[in-house]
Amino acid sequence: MTELSESHDDPFAPHLAALVVLDDRGVVVGWNRRAQELLGHPDTAVIGRPAIEVLVAPGDLPAVTEAAANCRRAGGWFGVLPLRHRDGQLVELGLRAHELSRGDRGREWFLAGALAGDVLEWQRDRAVLDGLYRQCPIGLVVHGPDQRILRVNRAIERFSGVPAADFQGMSTGRMLLSGDARKAVDRVRQVMQTGRPLVYSEQFVRLEQDPARERVALVSSFRLEDPSGRVLGVAEMIEDITDRHRAQRRLALLDQVGSRIGTTLDVAETARELAEVMVPHLADHASVDLLQAVTRGEEPTRAVAGPVVRLGTCGVGAQQPGPPHPEGEPVEFGPGTPQAGCLAEGRPVLEPVLPPDWVAAAGRQGAQAPDLGAHSLIVVPLAARGLVLGVMTLWRSRRPDAFETDDLTLAQELASRAAVAIDNARRFTQQQQTAFTLQSSLLPRAVPDQSAVEVALRYLPASAGPGLGGDWFDVIPLSGARVALVVGDVVGRGIHAAATMGRLRTAVHTLASLDLEPDEVLSRLDDLVNLLAAEQEAVGERPVGEQVVGATCLYAVYDPVAGRCSVARAGHPPPVVTAPDGQVALLDLPAGPPLGLGGLPFEARDIELAEGSLLSLYTNGIIGERHIDADVGLTKLCAALARPAGALERTCQAVVDALVPSRPSDDVVLLIARTRMLPPDSVASWRLPPEPASAGRARALTSAKLTEWGLEHLAFTTALVASELVTNVYRYAGGPATLRLIREQCLVCEVSDTSHTSPHLRHARTTDEGGRGLFLVAQMTERWGARYTREGKTVWTEQPLTGPPV
């Protein structure tokens, strides 16, 4: 305890203590001024007298006698005794006694005393100081003004593994790696120069003798000064928070996984997110390899352990080569590799220290390592619902410390969370592919061959959002060389929307075959949508976002003979008409209610279209995202269509490039039709009166026109068909008949009248005098049918131009 006895706070210091000298008989031979101040006796009153007689009360004599005996035996003594003041009061003093040898003169005893309260306070301070250096778990380093270490406590010794005595005289940061040492030196210099303490500053502490072990310390620094303000150095309290720092880093990494991974329902993107989260927080290099079945959205079987596809890679440092297999490339893990074992057994692999010959070792497939410097490895399975989806591999090459068991536990937790996100993405991909396959199978594979219009179209499925939409289109040839153009959009997304779209498209085909007017077609579709919704409500099948709540549709019929187009819409955006001179306008057409509201009428409008006009039909996806005003999108669409690019396909693509983003959030349908007119010499029409002679007249006119067209081989059949149809008008309709022949891809023969009576095909008995006309017509033509207009009906037939029907 003598090393600190000269402290200003030491109550036994010579200038603070009461000093008394006793001879060997206990007689006072020395007495200083401080003793007089504490006990009130002047030196003249005590020197030469026995101390017991002057200073000890009779009641305290036994305790004093025992202390004196102990002092003689041990050669010294320390304790507290009550001494008598000059006024008779007792004063408790802490006393320290030491033996003084006087040679031939015998022994004397040197006593230093102080008030017991001051001594106890000093002892507590000494205990605290002693505890800081010997027992405190927090490190203490004292730096001198020259930034050399004066003293460290035992906690620093345990923290560094270096004896405390070895630190004395060492320069600040001497035992640390260069980067960490520079920070330590700068911190001490800053505190010493400014006098401002630094509290809770984190410092990496990597020792030169053990660079692979990373430690983190929490450092608080303050300047040391004497009472005059002279700088004595800097003291630093250093707490080892390595475990706490690792725990915080793990929690932060888990939080990143929760907030960053799985942000998209895309398998490849989720794998890349996982690899990027691992680096550099846990590993220097990371790769994520998934089974090929998973990348396709399929559920892997338990027995399959490959092949895999590398979908995510990440490494630190631009100069560091990445894994040899680029993202998206197949990877083969040979037998015996950690990855192969992990895939087969679903168990993690930890190899803290890879042997120097690990890369070249047989069966190790060292090419899977990112670089030759890899020294530590972790492989964990990506498993969800008991199925292994792939593996995540982590390497350390630049970071010197090896992977530990805690790192493996963290990697497993991260992989487990990421695997759930990957499996969700896989299942979403499977649903998307199923919906896309269903939707693709329900949409037309090709535009049917017809002569009324030239068609270019684009269908782009949505690349984002919860499932595919219910957009559809159709080009349906009709009788009389006409064509129906259809575009629709089912409300909702996913498989339900795609299935509903297929049902509506089938219904449109059926209604088109009846040659109904556009407004009548939409009315029938409206009834169907209401029926579908009622079916779902009846069975309680109304999942959110998938129930049929309606649809929109636009139905147009173009007649290339008359150059007229009849259009009706049900809540759908209006078509855009581009005249041959480039003038663009939205067709002024009643909006009509969306399909599914029920009970509201639809209205069709007829327009004249010059030959070469563009009629553009589309769905909402092409006029902008949901947050964009529809009027703005329509303005952009009209501007794009005002500059036709010559060939219709180029015009269609130019519109898509100008308006559709690379990853549309909604399905996009664009159908552009350039109108054609049949040449006048390909159409012949006659009006025949309601009389028996009209049948013969029809045969003669038909034979003459077909001979003129070079279709003599069809003259007999067609003349017979025309006469039978005209005869039916005379017999059952009672009004004039209109006979029309159209030569296009086939030969069309039409007979119109003012009656709405439906023609009926039947088998006549042998005794019947009539009833065989339509039967003969059906047998002699390839197709036949009837369509109804507001003025009456038209019965039509079609025959191929190449010869008689088979």
Side-chain angles (χ1 to χ4, degrees):
M1 298 175 65
T2 60
E3 67 220 19
L4 296 174
S5 61
E6 294 301 317
S7 168
H8 291 292
D9 296 330
D10 187 354
F12 294 112
H15 64 287
L16 296 177
L19 302 179
V20 180
V21 180
L22 305 178
D23 64 12
D24 198 38
R25 295 171 301 166
V27 176
V28 178
V29 295
W31 188 267
N32 74 344
R33 180 178 300 176
R34 180 60 177 163
Q36 179 178 336
E37 293 175 354
L38 291 178
L39 297 174
H41 300 283
D43 54 355
T44 56
V46 294
I47 291 179
R49 297 177 63 184
I52 292 178
E53 178 185 320
V54 180
L55 301 176
V56 179
D60 297 325
L61 188 60
V64 172
T65 301
E66 183 183 357
N70 292 334
C71 183
R72 287 179 179 276
R73 286 194 300 269
W77 181 84
F78 172 75
V80 177
L81 288 176
L83 298 181
R84 187 169 56 187
H85 193 272
R86 182 180 180 181
D87 59 9
Q89 295 182 357
L90 295 179
V91 179
E92 285 195 343
L93 293 182
L95 296 175
R96 180 183 290 171
H98 293 283
E99 180 183 351
L100 297 177
S101 176
R102 296 295 187 178
D104 297 340
R105 296 166 54 186
R107 294 184 302 177
E108 289 184 347
W109 300 92
F110 181 78
L111 279 68
L115 293 174
D118 294 343
V119 173
L120 290 176
E121 183 179 354
W122 173 75
Q123 282 184 315
R124 285 194 296 268
D125 292 345
R126 282 296 303 264
V128 171
L129 188 60
D130 188 68
L132 285 176
Y133 279 102
R134 289 176 172 80
Q135 300 176 7
C136 181
I138 298 176
L140 175 63
V141 180
V142 179
H143 305 267
D146 58 353
Q147 288 194 258
R148 291 188 175 275
I149 298 176
L150 299 178
R151 188 174 181 182
V152 301
N153 67 352
R154 290 180 180 175
I156 294 295
E157 183 177 276
R158 293 190 296 271
F159 181 67
S160 64
V162 178
D166 293 352
F167 281 93
Q168 189 170 1
M170 186 182 296
S171 60
T172 300
R174 169 64 180 80
M175 302 184 69
L176 304 179
L177 293 180
S178 59
D180 298 341
R182 185 165 51 253
K183 293 179 181 178
V185 171
D186 293 343
R187 183 179 60 250
V188 172
R189 181 185 297 113
Q190 177 184 349
V191 173
M192 193 172 301
Q193 291 176 352
T194 65
R196 292 193 298 270
L198 293 178
V199 181
Y200 299 145
S201 173
E202 285 195 5
Q203 165 81 56
F204 283 97
V205 182
R206 291 169 294 184
L207 302 178
E208 288 182 338
Q209 64 185 25
D210 189 12
R213 185 179 178 187
E214 183 181 79
R215 301 174 178 85
V216 183
L218 200 63
V219 183
S220 295
S221 310
F222 56 93
R223 193 166 70 181
L224 301 175
E225 301 175 356
D226 64 10
S228 65
R230 181 166 59 95
V231 177
L232 302 178
V234 172
E236 291 190 312
M237 306 296 291
I238 300 176
E239 181 182 1
D240 184 1
I241 61 168
T242 303
D243 292 340
R244 187 194 314 169
H245 185 269
R246 289 179 178 175
Q248 291 175 345
R249 187 169 60 185
R250 289 186 175 97
L251 288 175
L253 200 54
L254 288 172
D255 181 67
Q256 276 199 16
V257 169
S259 61
R260 183 176 175 185
I261 295 179
T263 56
T264 63
L265 290 173
D266 182 272
V267 173
E269 183 63 26
T270 304
R272 283 192 291 270
E273 290 171 347
L274 175 59
E276 291 170 358
V277 166
M278 296 298 104
V279 179
H281 304 290
L282 187 60
D284 294 326
H285 304 272
S287 66
V288 178
D289 305 297
L290 301 181
L291 294 171
Q292 283 186 344
V294 175
T295 64
R296 296 191 297 265
E298 303 169 4
E299 184 166 309
T301 60
R302 297 181 184 275
V304 174
V308 298
V309 177
R310 180 151 295 171
L311 293 182
T313 59
C314 191
V316 296
Q319 71 277 17
Q320 289 287 342
H325 295 274
E327 292 182 4
E329 291 293 322
V331 179
E332 288 289 342
F333 295 126
T337 60
Q339 292 89 346
C342 183
L343 276 173
E345 301 177 8
R347 296 181 180 179
V349 177
L350 169 63
E351 298 200 15
V353 180
L354 299 174
D357 61 342
W358 183 81
V359 172
R364 283 290 188 175
Q365 293 290 324
Q368 304 298 333
D371 61 72
L372 300 181
H375 62 81
S376 192
L377 172 71
I378 282 179
V379 182
V380 292
L382 297 168
R385 297 183 299 109
L387 297 174
V388 176
L389 309 177
V391 294
M392 176 177 69
T393 308
L394 307 177
W395 291 273
R396 282 186 179 173
S397 56
R398 299 182 65 188
R399 185 182 302 188
D401 52 319
F403 285 120
E404 301 175 350
T405 304
D406 288 345
D407 296 321
L408 177 62
T409 302
L410 177 61
Q412 286 181 276
E413 176 65 21
L414 298 174
S416 177
R417 296 190 180 192
V420 173
I422 291 174
D423 190 52
N424 289 338
R426 177 198 64 78
R427 298 170 75 177
F428 176 76
T429 300
Q430 184 182 43
Q431 182 182 11
Q432 285 286 85
Q433 290 176 345
T434 301
F436 182 74
T437 301
L438 173 63
Q439 191 175 39
S440 298
S441 65
L442 296 175
L443 289 172
R445 301 297 179 89
V447 176
D449 189 20
Q450 43 77 41
S451 57
V453 291
E454 176 191 358
V455 174
L457 61 89
R458 293 291 184 273
Y459 171 73
L460 304 174
S463 59
L468 297 172
D471 293 17
W472 92 92
F473 62 91
D474 231 323
V475 178
I476 307 173
L478 301 177
S479 64
R482 298 169 306 131
V483 65
L485 306 174
V486 190
V487 168
D489 185 358
V490 174
V491 176
R493 304 185 71 84
I495 295 178
H496 282 259
T500 303
M501 174 271 291
R503 298 174 77 173
L504 294 182
R505 178 172 177 255
T506 301
V508 169
H509 267 268
T510 302
L511 296 173
S513 67
L514 299 177
D515 271 325
L516 300 177
E517 294 292 327
D519 53 344
E520 182 65 20
V521 170
L522 295 182
S523 295
R524 301 288 181 88
L525 282 181
D526 185 53
D527 293 338
L528 175 61
V529 172
N530 286 323
L531 176 61
L532 296 178
E535 287 178 353
Q536 286 191 341
E537 290 179 356
V539 298
E541 185 182 328
R542 293 182 66 86
V544 175
E546 295 182 352
Q547 67 268 25
V548 177
V549 296
T552 66
C553 183
L554 189 145
Y555 189 89
V557 175
Y558 174 68
D559 185 350
V561 177
R564 297 182 63 82
C565 184
S566 180
V567 189
R569 62 180 179 133
H572 204 83
V576 178
V577 176
T578 306
D581 60 1
Q583 294 294 320
V584 177
L586 287 173
L587 186 58
D588 184 14
L589 187 67
L595 301 176
L597 295 184
L600 298 176
F602 300 94
E603 183 179 348
R605 180 158 296 175
D606 292 345
I607 59 171
E608 298 282 347
L609 292 179
E611 185 173 10
S613 299
L614 300 185
L615 183 64
S616 300
L617 286 64
Y618 52 91
T619 57
N620 282 324
I622 204 167
I623 57 176
E625 309 291 336
R626 289 183 173 86
H627 62 277
I628 298 177
D629 186 83
D631 292 337
V632 175
L634 288 173
T635 301
K636 293 181 178 180
L637 175 61
C638 291
L641 289 169
R643 300 182 297 273
L648 199 58
E649 284 292 334
R650 291 203 302 269
T651 299
C652 193
Q653 187 59 45
V655 173
V656 171
D657 293 342
L659 277 76
V660 181
S662 58
R663 294 177 62 85
S665 61
D666 194 7
D667 287 6
V668 172
V669 169
L670 174 63
L671 189 155
I672 304 179
R674 176 178 282 136
T675 61
R676 296 169 176 159
M677 294 284 289
L678 290 185
D681 59 357
S682 294
V683 180
S685 179
W686 304 276
R687 189 172 180 84
L688 303 174
E691 57 186 30
S694 293
R697 175 70 174 159
R699 284 195 299 272
L701 293 172
T702 299
S703 298
K705 180 53 71 175
L706 293 184
T707 301
E708 179 185 339
W709 286 346
L711 300 176
E712 295 88 349
H713 59 285
L714 297 177
F716 175 78
T717 302
T718 308
L720 181 58
V721 167
S723 67
E724 289 293 336
L725 294 179
V726 170
T727 299
N728 283 344
V729 172
Y730 165 71
R731 287 183 176 179
Y732 305 111
T738 301
L739 172 63
R740 185 168 71 165
L741 299 178
I742 302 174
R743 180 187 59 178
E744 46 138 9
Q745 296 175 348
C746 62
L747 177 63
V748 178
C749 177
E750 297 180 344
V751 175
S752 303
D753 59 57
T754 59
S755 171
H756 288 87
T757 303
S758 174
H760 179 62
L761 178 66
R762 63 186 179 89
H763 291 275
R765 292 173 296 183
T766 55
T767 58
D768 291 341
E769 295 183 0
R772 298 177 179 82
L774 284 181
F775 180 79
L776 291 175
V777 169
Q779 296 298 312
M780 300 174 68
T781 59
E782 185 175 64
R783 290 200 316 146
W784 78 278
R787 65 176 181 268
Y788 297 87
T789 65
R790 294 178 179 85
E791 295 78 18
K793 70 174 182 297
T794 299
V795 180
W796 54 269
T797 65
E798 291 181 358
Q799 301 174 76
L801 299 179
T802 56
V806 178

